[in-house]
Amino acid sequence: MVLLRYCILAFLLAASGIAAAQTTGLIVEPATGASAAILDPNGDGYVSATTAGFAGDDQLLANNELGWRTLIPAGSEPNSDVRNGPDCGFTDFVESTSGGIDPVFHLSTGTEWLFRFRMASIAPNAKSYSILVDIDNLIGPTDDCYIAGVNPGFELEIVLSTKFGVRIYDHRLACGSNLIASYGVDRIQKSIAASTVCSSINYFIEYYVDWSDLTTQFGIDENTAMRYAIVDNMAADKSTICNPSSASDIGGVDDTGCGNLESCFTDIIEEQPTCSPSATATCVYSDCPIISGLPLATGATSVSGTSTEADGTTIRLYVNGGLAGSTTVTGGGWTVSPITALAADDAVTATAQATGEVESGTNCNNVQVAGASCSDPVTSVNVCNANKAFTGVTTEVGATITLYDANGVVQNPTSGTVWNAGSSTITSTSVPSALSPTTDNFLWRCVGSGSTTSCTAGGGPCLTDGNYYLTTQNTGECESTPFWFCIGLSGSTATPTISTTITTATTSVTGTVPAPENIAGVLVILFNNGFEVGRTTTTAGGAWTINSLSFAACDVVTAQAIKTAATAKCPSVLSASQTVSGGTTATPTVSGSYCGTTATVSGTSTEDGATIEVFDDGVSAGTTTVSGGLWELTGLTIAQGSVITARATNSGGCKSVSALSSGVTVGTQNTNATTIDQNPLIESDVTITGTGTPSDVISLYIDGWPLYLDFAETSAASTTVTGGGTWSITLTDNTLYAGASVTVRSSNGSTCESTDQDPTPVNCQSPTLTLVVNPDNSVICTGTAVTNVEVESSQSGVIYQLLDGGTPTGSSKLGNGGTITLSTAPLSSNTTISVRAIKSPYDGSCTVTLNETVAVTVVSPPTIAYVTQSNPTTCGGTDGSITISGLQNNQSYTVNYTDDGSPTSGAFTSNGSGQIIITGLNAGAYTNISTTGLGCSSTNTLAGPFTLTQPNNTAGAGSSSPTLCVSTALTNITHTTTGATGISND
C-alpha cells in the first residue's frame, strides 16, 4: 500500500440516495468499440443523466443520458406471467410501477434505432429478446405474414441475442431463410434500473440496429408509422416467430390469460395507433367518448355525449363514415350541432382527441339511429269483450299499439288506456295493472271514449269476426313484427311444418300446412328469432316456399299458418323451432407429452369459447374452455399408461360435437434416484458429476429449462450413467450462472424422464478480497470528499462501491480489469472508508468487502490570528517575519498574502503550538494573509497591513564607509573629501 497524505480542493458530490450498495443507472455490462459512444455518449459508465443515478424515476427524460421514450403505449405488464422460465427472472418483463406502460423504450437518432427492455433480473446466459413490428397496419388472416396461433401479421422482428449479437428477420420470407442482417455483441449493454419490481433491483437491456439495413430491406425509415410488440424467448439466438414453443413473456399483456401468441399479440396491436419512431410524443389513443340520448331520433340535428378526457379535447362526429361536425369537451360534456338531419339507418360514431394524443378509434360508439332497430312485439293478447275490446302485454312501455285486420287495414280505437288517432299509446309503467289479467299493460277498445282500464262496454260489436294482428313501435324505431290473433272464429289453423334443414348457407325454406288446411291460399309467416323474415301463401296440397333468406348460426326459425279466406280460422300455434347449425366443431389437439401421474392436460383449438371435454381411457375426466386458442384442465389424476383424448363442442356457435382428438399415452415415469455431487455448484464450475442407476440417461436442467454444454445450445447437457453408477458432464462454455437452480432428470428406454431431482443452487464465484486500495489514509477538510480512492486490478463485471461505516457513499463504478478511482460523498467526521465488491446478479447475494481500507481524518478549517512580527535586521535584509496562530500542529500549509500589493504564497509547516512563522520577508507592507491546508482554507483573512521596516543606517557618524537605510528619495547630497591637496566639496 502507498502511504499518502495529500491536499484536495473542495468538491461537492451528491450522494446516491439509495439503500442498495450500487447506484441506479450504472452500466454493468458495457457496449464496446464504437457502440459504447452510441449507448453511453458521455462515457461515464452510467445511463442516467449523472453518476448520482436516476433520483428514483428512470422514466423522466431529464434523468436519462439519452432521450428514451415509451415504445408501446398499450396494455399493462404484470410480473410473474412467463410461459417458460423463472418468474421474476431474466425473461420477465416488468413495469416501473403498475400501469407504468414502460417495459420497453426506444429512441431513433436518424441513423440508429435504439431499444431498452426493463427486466426483473438479468443473468450472464444466452436468451433472445424481440421487437416485433407491424409495418403495413394489417393484422389477421388476410396478412401475408399470418401464422395461425403465432404471428398475426408482423413483417419485421429485431432480436437481441445475448452472447451472440443483434439480428434482423424478415417474416415475409420463410423461416430458415429470413435472417437478413446481423451485428456483434458490441451493441449490447446492461444497466441498473430504478424500479424494484419482484426484487430489490431491476435492469435495462439496451441495443440498437441501423436504419440503413431496415430501409434497404423493408423500405421504412424513422418517419414510417408502425405498430409494435415485444416478446422474449428462453432459447438462445432465436426468432420467436420461428420458434414459438420456447417463447417466455409478452410485454403489455397477462400471458397467463390472453391465450396463444397470436391472440396476445393481437390484443397489444389493437390497443395502439400507428406511430413513427421519430415521433416526439408517445402515441396513445384518447379514450372513446360516450354518445347520450339513445336511441337517436330520425331527423335529429344535434348529438350530445360525455368524455373522460380533459376539457378542450376535440370531439368529432361521423355519420356513415363521413365527418358531420366537431366540438370540444366542456365540463365533461359535448354537443355537436347543427348537423344534417339524421335519417333512418344512419350509423353515428363519435371520437375524441386530447392534446398530444391520437384520435380514438372510429369504432367507438357505433349507433344505429331511427329505423335501424325494430321494437319488440306484443307477447300476448286476451279478448276481453267479444268484437269490442282486448288487452295484452308488451315490454315496450310507451310504444304505440296498432291493430290491423287480416288485409292490413288499420282499425281505429276509441278508448283504452290512452287512445289517439287510430292507435293506442301505452302509458302504464308498471305491472300488474288495473286490467284483467293483472299482468296485461294495455287496453284497446273500439266502443266508448276516453281513458279507461275497463273492458265492459255496451253497444253492438265494432270488430267483425276474423284474424287480426298487432304491432308496437317506439319513437325512432321500426314497427315490430306482428302478433296474430282471432276474434269470433272457430278452430285454429293446422300447425305448419318446416321441411328444409336450415344452415348458414340456406336462402330458401320450404314446408307444408297439413290437413285440413292443405289447400291453396293459407297465409304462412316465417319468423327468425321472433321477427318476421318472410310470408307467402300455400299452393294446392298445402306446400309453401319462402325465398331470399339469410341465416346465421344459432338463429331460431319458426313458422305460423293463418287461414284467412273461405272459412277463416284462428292462427296456428308456432311450428316446432329449428336452430340453425354452425356445423361441426373443429377437432382439438392434446399438446405435448405426459409422464407419470398427470394432474394437468393442455392443448389447442381453433374455436375460442368452445367447451373441451378431456377423456382418460375413454372416461370423461372433466371440461374446460378454450381461450386464445389454448385450453388447460387441471386437478386431474391420470395414471401412467392411460390414453388422453379430447373433443370440443362450440355451443356458442351452435355446432355439433367434434371428432375425438388423437390420443396421447401417458408414459411410465422413471423413479430411479439421481443426485448431483456438488452442493452448491459454483458458477465457474465446468464439470458436474453425480450418481444414478447404471444405463440410465440423465439430463441437467437450469431454472426448469434444459441445460446445454454451450451457449449456442447445440449439445444438451446429457449423458449415460456408467456401470459404476456415476456420471460426469463437462460444459464447453461457462453456462452456469449465480442464483440459478440446477436439477437432474433420469430416463431409460422403457421410461420417460423422472421429476426434477436434487435441486442444487448455483452460487457465485466471490469477488477477490485482497485487491490493493490506495491510499492507506487521508486527511481532508470537513464537508469535502475523498476523491481519489483507487482500487488496483479491479475485476471486470464487478461493481465497486465505497462504504462509510457500512453505508454506501458516493457513486459506484464497474471494474474494468485495471485501476479504477472512486469518490466518497462529502464527509464531516473521522471515519474508515471500505470498498464493497458486488458481482452478478448484483442483488447483494454475491458481495464482499475488500480487506484494505482508507482511514480518513476530517479536520475543521482554521481561524488564524496575528501573533507578532519581526523587522529585517539589515538594510535590504530578508530576515523579517510574521507569526500567525490557530492552525493544526505540525501540518503543512500554503500561506497566501500580498507583499506591497503583489500576491505571494509559500509553503510552511506549523509548529507544535499550531503557529506558522512566515519567514524570508523584507521591509514592506503585508496584507490579506490566509492559509490553505488539509483541504481547508482558513475561515478568515488577516487584512493588515503588517509593516516591516529596516534600520536607518548600519554605521555611525564618522564611519569610514557610512550606509544609509531610508525609504524615501535623498536630495542635495554633498561629499567632502580630505586629501593631500586639501579639502574639496561636491
PDB file of all heavy atoms in Angstrom, residues 513-529:
ATOM      1  N   VAL A 513     -98.478 -27.089 -44.891  1.00  0.00           N
ATOM      2  CA  VAL A 513     -99.537 -26.947 -43.884  1.00  0.00           C
ATOM      3  C   VAL A 513    -100.394 -28.193 -44.011  1.00  0.00           C
ATOM      4  O   VAL A 513    -100.940 -28.478 -45.080  1.00  0.00           O
ATOM      5  CB  VAL A 513    -100.382 -25.678 -44.116  1.00  0.00           C
ATOM      6  CG1 VAL A 513    -101.498 -25.602 -43.078  1.00  0.00           C
ATOM      7  CG2 VAL A 513     -99.494 -24.438 -44.037  1.00  0.00           C
ATOM      8  N   PRO A 514    -100.515 -28.976 -42.958  1.00  0.00           N
ATOM      9  CA  PRO A 514    -101.220 -30.260 -43.069  1.00  0.00           C
ATOM     10  C   PRO A 514    -102.741 -30.073 -43.131  1.00  0.00           C
ATOM     11  O   PRO A 514    -103.260 -28.964 -42.961  1.00  0.00           O
ATOM     12  CB  PRO A 514    -100.792 -30.987 -41.801  1.00  0.00           C
ATOM     13  CG  PRO A 514    -100.493 -29.906 -40.813  1.00  0.00           C
ATOM     14  CD  PRO A 514     -99.943 -28.764 -41.622  1.00  0.00           C
ATOM     15  N   ALA A 515    -103.403 -31.168 -43.392  1.00  0.00           N
ATOM     16  CA  ALA A 515    -104.876 -31.173 -43.419  1.00  0.00           C
ATOM     17  C   ALA A 515    -105.416 -30.732 -42.061  1.00  0.00           C
ATOM     18  O   ALA A 515    -104.794 -30.989 -41.027  1.00  0.00           O
ATOM     19  CB  ALA A 515    -105.379 -32.558 -43.774  1.00  0.00           C
ATOM     20  N   PRO A 516    -106.540 -30.083 -42.031  1.00  0.00           N
ATOM     21  CA  PRO A 516    -107.400 -29.836 -43.203  1.00  0.00           C
ATOM     22  C   PRO A 516    -107.044 -28.565 -43.967  1.00  0.00           C
ATOM     23  O   PRO A 516    -107.763 -28.172 -44.872  1.00  0.00           O
ATOM     24  CB  PRO A 516    -108.785 -29.728 -42.579  1.00  0.00           C
ATOM     25  CG  PRO A 516    -108.514 -29.139 -41.226  1.00  0.00           C
ATOM     26  CD  PRO A 516    -107.202 -29.708 -40.782  1.00  0.00           C
ATOM     27  N   GLU A 517    -105.892 -27.894 -43.601  1.00  0.00           N
ATOM     28  CA  GLU A 517    -105.528 -26.656 -44.300  1.00  0.00           C
ATOM     29  C   GLU A 517    -104.522 -26.909 -45.425  1.00  0.00           C
ATOM     30  O   GLU A 517    -103.812 -26.006 -45.858  1.00  0.00           O
ATOM     31  CB  GLU A 517    -104.957 -25.630 -43.315  1.00  0.00           C
ATOM     32  CG  GLU A 517    -106.009 -24.816 -42.599  1.00  0.00           C
ATOM     33  CD  GLU A 517    -106.805 -25.637 -41.591  1.00  0.00           C
ATOM     34  OE1 GLU A 517    -106.189 -26.225 -40.679  1.00  0.00           O
ATOM     35  OE2 GLU A 517    -108.040 -25.711 -41.721  1.00  0.00           O
ATOM     36  N   ASN A 518    -104.463 -28.155 -45.916  1.00  0.00           N
ATOM     37  CA  ASN A 518    -103.548 -28.451 -47.017  1.00  0.00           C
ATOM     38  C   ASN A 518    -104.174 -28.050 -48.341  1.00  0.00           C
ATOM     39  O   ASN A 518    -104.419 -28.859 -49.239  1.00  0.00           O
ATOM     40  CB  ASN A 518    -103.161 -29.925 -47.029  1.00  0.00           C
ATOM     41  CG  ASN A 518    -104.352 -30.848 -47.037  1.00  0.00           C
ATOM     42  OD1 ASN A 518    -105.471 -30.442 -46.725  1.00  0.00           O
ATOM     43  ND2 ASN A 518    -104.134 -32.117 -47.401  1.00  0.00           N
ATOM     44  N   ILE A 519    -104.468 -26.780 -48.411  1.00  0.00           N
ATOM     45  CA  ILE A 519    -105.142 -26.196 -49.566  1.00  0.00           C
ATOM     46  C   ILE A 519    -104.377 -24.961 -49.983  1.00  0.00           C
ATOM     47  O   ILE A 519    -103.473 -24.499 -49.277  1.00  0.00           O
ATOM     48  CB  ILE A 519    -106.595 -25.812 -49.216  1.00  0.00           C
ATOM     49  CG1 ILE A 519    -106.609 -24.815 -48.038  1.00  0.00           C
ATOM     50  CG2 ILE A 519    -107.431 -27.055 -48.883  1.00  0.00           C
ATOM     51  CD1 ILE A 519    -107.981 -24.277 -47.702  1.00  0.00           C
ATOM     52  N   ALA A 520    -104.737 -24.416 -51.100  1.00  0.00           N
ATOM     53  CA  ALA A 520    -104.100 -23.186 -51.558  1.00  0.00           C
ATOM     54  C   ALA A 520    -104.662 -21.984 -50.807  1.00  0.00           C
ATOM     55  O   ALA A 520    -105.806 -21.981 -50.359  1.00  0.00           O
ATOM     56  CB  ALA A 520    -104.310 -23.016 -53.063  1.00  0.00           C
ATOM     57  N   GLY A 521    -103.810 -20.936 -50.657  1.00  0.00           N
ATOM     58  CA  GLY A 521    -104.274 -19.670 -50.119  1.00  0.00           C
ATOM     59  C   GLY A 521    -104.115 -19.481 -48.637  1.00  0.00           C
ATOM     60  O   GLY A 521    -104.503 -18.435 -48.098  1.00  0.00           O
ATOM     61  N   VAL A 522    -103.564 -20.419 -47.910  1.00  0.00           N
ATOM     62  CA  VAL A 522    -103.343 -20.253 -46.472  1.00  0.00           C
ATOM     63  C   VAL A 522    -102.079 -19.409 -46.276  1.00  0.00           C
ATOM     64  O   VAL A 522    -101.037 -19.684 -46.875  1.00  0.00           O
ATOM     65  CB  VAL A 522    -103.207 -21.606 -45.753  1.00  0.00           C
ATOM     66  CG1 VAL A 522    -102.852 -21.398 -44.277  1.00  0.00           C
ATOM     67  CG2 VAL A 522    -104.479 -22.412 -45.903  1.00  0.00           C
ATOM     68  N   LEU A 523    -102.189 -18.379 -45.460  1.00  0.00           N
ATOM     69  CA  LEU A 523    -101.049 -17.495 -45.208  1.00  0.00           C
ATOM     70  C   LEU A 523    -100.047 -18.205 -44.293  1.00  0.00           C
ATOM     71  O   LEU A 523    -100.429 -18.740 -43.247  1.00  0.00           O
ATOM     72  CB  LEU A 523    -101.525 -16.200 -44.553  1.00  0.00           C
ATOM     73  CG  LEU A 523    -100.425 -15.209 -44.125  1.00  0.00           C
ATOM     74  CD1 LEU A 523     -99.666 -14.686 -45.349  1.00  0.00           C
ATOM     75  CD2 LEU A 523    -101.031 -14.045 -43.340  1.00  0.00           C
ATOM     76  N   VAL A 524     -98.773 -18.184 -44.686  1.00  0.00           N
ATOM     77  CA  VAL A 524     -97.684 -18.738 -43.865  1.00  0.00           C
ATOM     78  C   VAL A 524     -96.678 -17.627 -43.610  1.00  0.00           C
ATOM     79  O   VAL A 524     -96.231 -16.955 -44.552  1.00  0.00           O
ATOM     80  CB  VAL A 524     -97.008 -19.930 -44.554  1.00  0.00           C
ATOM     81  CG1 VAL A 524     -95.823 -20.420 -43.710  1.00  0.00           C
ATOM     82  CG2 VAL A 524     -97.999 -21.061 -44.762  1.00  0.00           C
ATOM     83  N   ILE A 525     -96.331 -17.430 -42.342  1.00  0.00           N
ATOM     84  CA  ILE A 525     -95.341 -16.412 -41.952  1.00  0.00           C
ATOM     85  C   ILE A 525     -94.148 -17.133 -41.334  1.00  0.00           C
ATOM     86  O   ILE A 525     -94.305 -17.998 -40.468  1.00  0.00           O
ATOM     87  CB  ILE A 525     -95.936 -15.412 -40.946  1.00  0.00           C
ATOM     88  CG1 ILE A 525     -97.167 -14.726 -41.551  1.00  0.00           C
ATOM     89  CG2 ILE A 525     -94.894 -14.374 -40.540  1.00  0.00           C
ATOM     90  CD1 ILE A 525     -97.887 -13.802 -40.594  1.00  0.00           C
ATOM     91  N   LEU A 526     -92.922 -16.764 -41.792  1.00  0.00           N
ATOM     92  CA  LEU A 526     -91.692 -17.359 -41.263  1.00  0.00           C
ATOM     93  C   LEU A 526     -91.034 -16.361 -40.310  1.00  0.00           C
ATOM     94  O   LEU A 526     -90.894 -15.177 -40.632  1.00  0.00           O
ATOM     95  CB  LEU A 526     -90.732 -17.696 -42.409  1.00  0.00           C
ATOM     96  CG  LEU A 526     -89.529 -18.569 -42.037  1.00  0.00           C
ATOM     97  CD1 LEU A 526     -89.993 -19.981 -41.681  1.00  0.00           C
ATOM     98  CD2 LEU A 526     -88.522 -18.626 -43.195  1.00  0.00           C
ATOM     99  N   PHE A 527     -90.640 -16.836 -39.134  1.00  0.00           N
ATOM    100  CA  PHE A 527     -90.019 -15.995 -38.109  1.00  0.00           C
ATOM    101  C   PHE A 527     -88.582 -16.459 -37.857  1.00  0.00           C
ATOM    102  O   PHE A 527     -88.299 -17.658 -37.805  1.00  0.00           O
ATOM    103  CB  PHE A 527     -90.799 -16.072 -36.789  1.00  0.00           C
ATOM    104  CG  PHE A 527     -92.209 -15.579 -36.886  1.00  0.00           C
ATOM    105  CD1 PHE A 527     -93.252 -16.465 -37.149  1.00  0.00           C
ATOM    106  CD2 PHE A 527     -92.509 -14.240 -36.715  1.00  0.00           C
ATOM    107  CE1 PHE A 527     -94.548 -16.015 -37.229  1.00  0.00           C
ATOM    108  CE2 PHE A 527     -93.811 -13.786 -36.800  1.00  0.00           C
ATOM    109  CZ  PHE A 527     -94.842 -14.670 -37.061  1.00  0.00           C
ATOM    110  N   ASN A 528     -87.682 -15.486 -37.685  1.00  0.00           N
ATOM    111  CA  ASN A 528     -86.291 -15.765 -37.308  1.00  0.00           C
ATOM    112  C   ASN A 528     -86.008 -15.003 -36.021  1.00  0.00           C
ATOM    113  O   ASN A 528     -86.041 -13.773 -36.006  1.00  0.00           O
ATOM    114  CB  ASN A 528     -85.331 -15.334 -38.412  1.00  0.00           C
ATOM    115  CG  ASN A 528     -83.877 -15.723 -38.117  1.00  0.00           C
ATOM    116  OD1 ASN A 528     -83.595 -16.403 -37.138  1.00  0.00           O
ATOM    117  ND2 ASN A 528     -82.963 -15.288 -38.970  1.00  0.00           N
ATOM    118  N   ASN A 529     -85.778 -15.747 -34.957  1.00  0.00           N
ATOM    119  CA  ASN A 529     -85.556 -15.136 -33.639  1.00  0.00           C
ATOM    120  C   ASN A 529     -86.718 -14.243 -33.232  1.00  0.00           C
ATOM    121  O   ASN A 529     -86.541 -13.201 -32.604  1.00  0.00           O
ATOM    122  CB  ASN A 529     -84.249 -14.332 -33.621  1.00  0.00           C
ATOM    123  CG  ASN A 529     -83.035 -15.179 -33.904  1.00  0.00           C
ATOM    124  OD1 ASN A 529     -82.971 -16.340 -33.482  1.00  0.00           O
ATOM    125  ND2 ASN A 529     -82.080 -14.629 -34.634  1.00  0.00           N
TER     126      ASN A 529
END
